[in-house]
Amino acid sequence: VVSCAHSGYRRLPGRVTHRRCWSFAPGHFQVQDSLDGRFQRAVSRLRVHPQWTVAEKRDAAGFGLARGGRCLGMTVQGAEKTLTLENILFGDVWVLGGQSNMEHPISRTEDGDIEIASAKHPNLRILTVPSQNGPDLRTGFPRLFEWHSFFNTHYRKGDWDVCTPEIVEELSGIGYAFARRLHLAAGVPIGVIDASRGGTSLETWTPRSVLKETDTPEVRNMLAEWAQKVDAFDPDRDLATRIEGHQRRVAAKKAAGEPIPADWKRPATPRPGPLMDMNHPGNCYANMIAPLAGLAVKGAIWHQGYNNAAQPEGHVMYAQLFPKMIAAWRNAFGDPQMPFGIISLCTDGPPQ
């Protein structure tokens, strides 16, 4: 077994489903999987098929539900490698989606320090998805400390973590309040996957294939405008323009007898252009939702809309795309009835 990764659990009425996804080199292999002392064996001969999904059903004794903080361990043993997973819980996993409304961390909310100090919940787990870019559907993401230019700090992303004061301070404020209340009320372990991203629009969270199939003037015009931006972008010309602008600013400072700021650096590398923009249609879905596809999640909650509200007739396209985006997410997680909670924008002030 070259590599394998645990892909989530799901608590359903009367039963527990356990899923795992595998990636391996072609050829024969044998896997022995143990979960709390109970074994399953699977033998397969493959040639070119790159992925295989194993789903075990509940055995006669049942796996049970980790209500009392009881964690499980699991060992996956192959011919050459063995992988041990520890501190596993059965519970409900929720996805957090949207823009900065959802992304805003608990540490920057009112009385956030009080919430953080008491955030000691060993049965509440947290995963934040890195903010990658590009039009191609991804199947995974890295573990890293990602720089956030708005908050001027690095955030740890790509790892499941136990909820502690040190970890939770970087989590979505809305996401933490939701997860904590649900965990305490339901009495089961809760996992939250924060896939939100500030400054994003609805269309970037919708699969590009869905956008292309949406035959309305608003969506067609939006796609055409982005296509024009991509076609018109010349990285070399863009770099030259940025260098000229830098030189003008430096010359103005010198003429005024003012010091040159230390962080003013001459541009040296081309920018990736509109195709890699986080709001390019379908990009956030491709990079932040597609890697989660197939996970057994309980549901999603969504807080977004300012970016689209600021667009002329933005509400028209929103009404056309939002139901399609929800259906696409449900399809990605294999549940056409998956709960999808919508947090509406504040109604104070002028209509949007």
Side-chain angles (χ1 to χ4, degrees):
V1 178
V2 176
S3 65
C4 69
H6 169 246
S7 66
Y9 297 96
R10 182 177 187 179
R11 182 178 60 86
L12 296 173
R15 66 186 181 92
V16 176
T17 301
H18 166 214
R19 297 179 183 172
R20 221 168 315 116
C21 294
W22 308 65
S23 297
F24 42 82
H28 172 264
F29 72 97
Q30 180 169 303
V31 175
Q32 179 174 313
D33 172 28
S34 65
L35 175 60
D36 197 25
R38 299 182 178 92
F39 295 87
Q40 296 286 337
R41 299 178 71 89
V43 180
S44 179
R45 295 182 181 274
L46 302 176
R47 293 186 178 180
V48 296
H49 190 60
Q51 292 185 331
W52 184 42
T53 299
V54 178
E56 291 100 345
K57 297 181 180 179
R58 177 179 179 180
D59 63 14
F63 291 139
L65 198 60
R67 286 183 176 273
R70 176 171 169 269
C71 298
L72 304 176
M74 179 170 62
T75 299
V76 180
Q77 182 175 337
E80 298 180 356
K81 293 189 177 183
T82 299
L83 177 67
T84 300
L85 302 175
E86 300 175 341
N87 200 12
I88 299 171
L89 294 172
F90 286 108
D92 295 339
V93 176
W94 287 80
V95 175
L96 314 176
Q99 58 180 112
S100 58
N101 319 64
M102 182 66 79
E103 183 187 38
H104 203 76
I106 185 69
S107 59
R108 298 176 182 269
T109 60
E110 185 176 0
D111 294 329
D113 54 340
I114 298 176
E115 295 289 352
I116 291 171
S118 61
K120 300 174 183 178
H121 303 289
N123 285 359
L124 200 163
R125 306 298 169 85
I126 298 165
L127 167 64
T128 302
V129 180
S131 301
Q132 302 182 96
N133 294 311
D136 298 327
L137 294 175
R138 292 183 186 265
T139 58
F141 45 77
R143 299 171 176 177
L144 47 73
F145 283 87
E146 184 177 277
W147 176 253
H148 198 298
S149 58
F150 184 82
F151 294 124
N152 200 36
T153 189
H154 283 93
Y155 287 119
R156 184 170 185 261
K157 297 187 176 184
D159 268 308
W160 277 107
D161 287 304
V162 176
C163 179
T164 64
E166 295 75 21
I167 292 296
V168 81
E169 64 180 3
E170 297 182 357
L171 179 64
S172 154
I174 293 175
Y176 173 66
F178 172 81
R180 182 201 60 195
R181 290 192 179 191
L182 194 60
H183 169 51
L184 296 177
V188 299
I190 297 293
V192 286
I193 301 176
D194 188 353
S196 59
R197 190 170 184 179
T200 52
S201 301
L202 178 72
E203 52 270 27
T204 189
W205 294 104
T206 307
R208 188 161 178 80
S209 59
V210 173
L211 295 171
K212 290 181 177 180
E213 294 172 356
T214 305
D215 190 15
T216 67
E218 291 77 15
V219 175
R220 288 199 304 269
N221 290 340
M222 179 269 296
L223 292 175
E225 289 173 2
W226 275 102
Q228 185 178 14
K229 291 178 184 179
V230 172
D231 292 341
F233 181 75
D234 183 325
D236 294 330
R237 185 171 66 244
D238 176 70
L239 177 59
T241 300
R242 290 161 54 212
I243 292 174
E244 291 174 4
H246 171 77
Q247 292 172 338
R248 287 195 300 270
R249 290 192 298 273
V250 170
K253 284 287 186 182
K254 290 181 177 179
E258 300 175 359
I260 309 300
D263 60 347
W264 281 23
K265 305 296 183 182
R266 185 180 186 273
T269 57
R271 293 187 292 194
L275 191 62
M276 301 297 285
D277 190 298
M278 66 179 181
N279 275 320
H280 185 275
N283 270 15
C284 279
Y285 179 87
N287 291 277
M288 300 180 71
I289 301 300
L292 306 174
L295 297 190
V297 304
K298 182 71 172 180
I301 60 173
W302 173 263
H303 197 0
Q304 189 273 340
Y306 284 111
N307 262 43
N308 293 92
Q311 300 171 6
E313 299 298 312
H315 65 287
V316 176
M317 190 173 71
Y318 210 95
Q320 297 165 355
L321 287 181
F322 197 28
K324 294 178 180 291
M325 190 212 80
I326 294 173
W329 283 34
R330 286 172 168 167
N331 181 65
F333 297 117
D335 184 357
Q337 302 299 320
M338 183 188 78
F340 195 96
I342 302 168
I343 305 172
S344 64
L345 294 180
C346 178
T347 55
D348 183 35
Q352 296 178 324

